[in-house]
Amino acid sequence: ALGTANQIVGMNSGGTANEYKTFSATNGASVTHAANSVVISTVFNPTVQTLTDGATITWNVTNGGNAVVTLAGTGRTLSITNPVAGYTYTVRIIQGSGGSKTITTWPTNTRWPNGTAITLSTTAGDYDVVVFYYDGSQFLATFQNDFS
C-alpha cells in the first residue's frame, strides 16, 4: 500500500521490513515533499524565550527569535547562536534590582548605527529593546531604549 501525505518509507525498529514513517516539523523547521524528494529547512520561530542571565547570556534563536532577559549584573556578554541569514531577532533587556546593569560585549560582528552601541537604561525595572538583522555574516543592530 502507498503512504499518505507527510509519510516516507523507513525501516521498522527491528530492521526487518520497510514501513511508512510520518514526519512533521516543529521548533522552527519546515518539511516539504514532492515526488522523489524531501526538503527540510528552517523557518522563523516567533516564540519569546526567557534567557538566563549570567556572565555570558546565550541566545539560541532556533528556540525562539524573540527573547527577554533581566540583568542582575554588569559586564555581561550576549551571544547569539544558530542565526539564519535574512532573519530579524528581537530582545527585551530589563534592568534588574538596583539598575545600572550592562551588556558590554555584543554578538560577534554586530554593527550599530553610527558605530555606537546602545547605552542601556539605568533605572531598575526599565527596559530596552534591541533588534538584530542577520545578513549571513554580521548583525545589523537597532535599538530603542528607556521604556518605563
Side-chain angles (χ1 to χ4, degrees):
L2 295 176
T4 61
N6 296 329
Q7 287 190 327
I8 58 174
V9 176
M11 186 62 67
N12 68 8
S13 61
T16 58
N18 289 334
E19 64 183 15
Y20 286 97
K21 305 283 187 176
T22 300
F23 60 89
S24 61
T26 59
N27 286 338
S30 170
V31 179
T32 56
H33 59 90
N36 301 317
S37 70
V38 174
V39 177
I40 300 173
S41 59
T42 60
V43 295
F44 182 75
N45 178 353
T47 300
V48 178
Q49 57 178 309
T50 300
L51 304 178
T52 302
D53 180 52
T56 298
I57 302 163
T58 301
W59 179 12
N60 180 348
V61 295
T62 301
N63 297 327
N66 296 296
V68 60
V69 63
T70 300
L71 299 178
T74 61
R76 302 305 201 214
T77 295
L78 178 65
S79 172
I80 297 178
T81 61
N82 300 311
V84 176
Y87 284 28
T88 300
Y89 307 101
T90 304
V91 61
R92 182 167 53 118
I93 303 163
I94 303 170
Q95 283 293 325
S97 178
S100 297
K101 312 304 185 209
T102 60
I103 295 176
T104 53
T105 305
W106 297 92
T108 301
N109 293 325
T110 296
R111 304 292 181 253
W112 298 94
N114 299 314
T116 304
I118 183 175
T119 298
L120 298 176
S121 58
T122 58
T123 304
D126 283 5
Y127 62 91
D128 309 293
V129 175
V130 181
V131 178
F132 297 94
Y133 170 77
Y134 185 63
D135 70 1
S137 63
Q138 61 186 354
F139 291 99
L140 305 177
T142 61
F143 57 86
Q144 184 63 51
N145 61 340
D146 208 16
F147 290 89
S148 53

